[in-house]
Amino acid sequence: MIIEKIVTNIKELDPSELESRHKEKVYLESAHLVKRIQRVETDHGRELGIRLKDNKDLKAGDILFMDDENIIIIDVLSDDLIIISPRSMHEMGTIAHQLGNRHLPAQFEEGDMLVQYDYLVEELLQELDIPFKREERKVEQAFRHIGHSHD
């Protein structure tokens, strides 16, 4: 089966629509959410080809296939993350500037900044005395680098 578009996301479905269907999941690393063409396998052993026509990243909960009896959903494997919890706008600005200079992609959840684990970032946070913790956590979308050049 070739998947060329996302049907919807489970957040958009009524819970009763999920209960009545046989569910299969495709587990992806967050880095693979940006790949428009890939071969994947569901947790039930069904092989799928993904060839998305839209230039849009996959997200956790995206539905690849749905009929009256079955549904195939994207799920994301946990990432090794650093969860940064700055205490002030000054700390947020300081660490955002430092990580921006390294072109390190980040995501934000509530008051926290999430970055993929890097021992150099861990050392920097310790040196700057900015609160953080290391945690395995699922993210809904890929860590995406923003294109930029220093001309």
Side-chain angles (χ1 to χ4, degrees), residues 2-150:
I2 304 290
I3 306 299
E4 294 184 328
K5 68 177 187 167
I6 302 306
V7 176
T8 188
N9 192 285
I10 58 172
K11 292 178 182 176
E12 306 300 320
L13 290 181
D14 185 285
S16 64
E17 293 182 89
L18 283 174
E19 293 171 13
S20 62
R21 291 180 168 86
H22 171 261
K23 292 172 219 45
E24 292 184 51
K25 289 189 175 184
V26 171
Y27 291 95
L28 296 177
E29 294 178 21
S30 64
H32 291 179
L33 294 172
V34 298
K35 296 171 86 176
R36 289 182 40 237
I37 300 172
Q38 57 187 308
R39 181 171 299 283
V40 297
E41 188 174 316
T42 71
D43 59 347
H44 292 211
R46 186 189 314 213
E47 287 193 20
L48 305 171
I50 298 176
R51 185 177 60 219
L52 299 178
K53 291 183 177 183
D54 294 335
N55 191 16
K56 184 179 147 190
D57 293 348
L58 294 166
K59 294 184 301 209
D62 278 348
I63 297 173
L64 300 177
F65 173 81
M66 182 170 69
D67 64 15
D68 291 338
E69 297 162 5
N70 300 292
I71 189 166
I72 301 175
I73 305 166
I74 293 286
D75 201 351
V76 182
L77 298 169
S78 295
D79 278 301
D80 187 7
L81 301 177
I82 295 177
I83 314 301
I84 305 167
S85 304
R87 295 169 290 225
S88 67
M89 190 63 120
H90 180 267
E91 284 185 351
M92 175 55 89
T94 299
I95 196 59
H97 177 74
Q98 292 282 336
L99 298 179
N101 278 341
R102 298 165 191 234
H103 301 278
L104 194 66
Q107 295 183 25
F108 299 88
E109 288 183 5
E110 298 169 16
D112 294 330
M113 176 188 270
L114 285 60
V115 296
Q116 291 175 308
Y117 178 77
D118 180 306
Y119 75 94
L120 294 173
V121 172
E122 183 177 45
E123 288 175 1
L124 175 65
L125 290 163
Q126 289 168 344
E127 179 182 312
L128 295 172
D129 191 33
I130 296 176
F132 73 95
K133 61 185 172 187
R134 185 174 174 184
E135 185 176 294
E136 288 282 327
R137 187 189 288 189
K138 290 183 181 187
V139 293
E140 287 192 24
Q141 57 194 8
F143 284 91
R144 191 171 250 317
H145 287 276
I146 296 172
H148 175 73
S149 63
H150 294 276

